[in-house]
Amino acid sequence: MDLEHRLIKERFAKLDKWAEMGVEPYPHRFKRSHALGDVLANADAMVEAAEEVTVAGRMMSKRRHGKLGFADLADESGQLQLLSLIHI
């Protein structure tokens, strides 16, 4: 089996697994609670209140530095840097 065929089979297997878990891999809608500009302007109050925030935007860049991952997310109201711990 060639590499391309194997990768396609793996991708379809992942889609089947997500379907079994009830996850829609290509949702038609995504409801965000705040624009990025709102989060930037009110970040301290949101952290203090432990407010759950759902944002959306375009990932402008992503990079790794050791066990940390960074991404820049942008929408029409601003840009936000995301931080993720990478488990190896």
Side-chain angles (χ1 to χ4, degrees), residues 28-29 66:
H28 298 287
R29 298 191 187 280

Side-chain angles (χ1 to χ4, degrees), residues 14-52:
K14 287 179 185 178
L15 286 173
D16 291 340
K17 184 177 179 181
W18 286 347
E20 290 171 6
M21 295 169 41
V23 175
E24 172 60 49
Y26 306 108
H28 298 287
R29 298 191 187 280
F30 179 83
K31 185 174 180 182
R32 66 180 183 177
S33 62
H34 297 81
L36 295 178
D38 297 334
V39 174
L40 293 170
N42 303 308
D44 291 334
M46 290 175 169
V47 169
E48 192 172 305
E51 184 175 344
E52 186 173 317

Side-chain angles (χ1 to χ4, degrees), residues 63-71 81-88:
R63 56 212 172 275
R64 284 182 67 170
H65 294 285
K67 292 186 178 181
L68 296 177
F70 296 91
Q81 184 180 65
L82 307 174
L83 167 71
S84 175
L85 189 59
I86 300 170
H87 300 282
I88 299 175

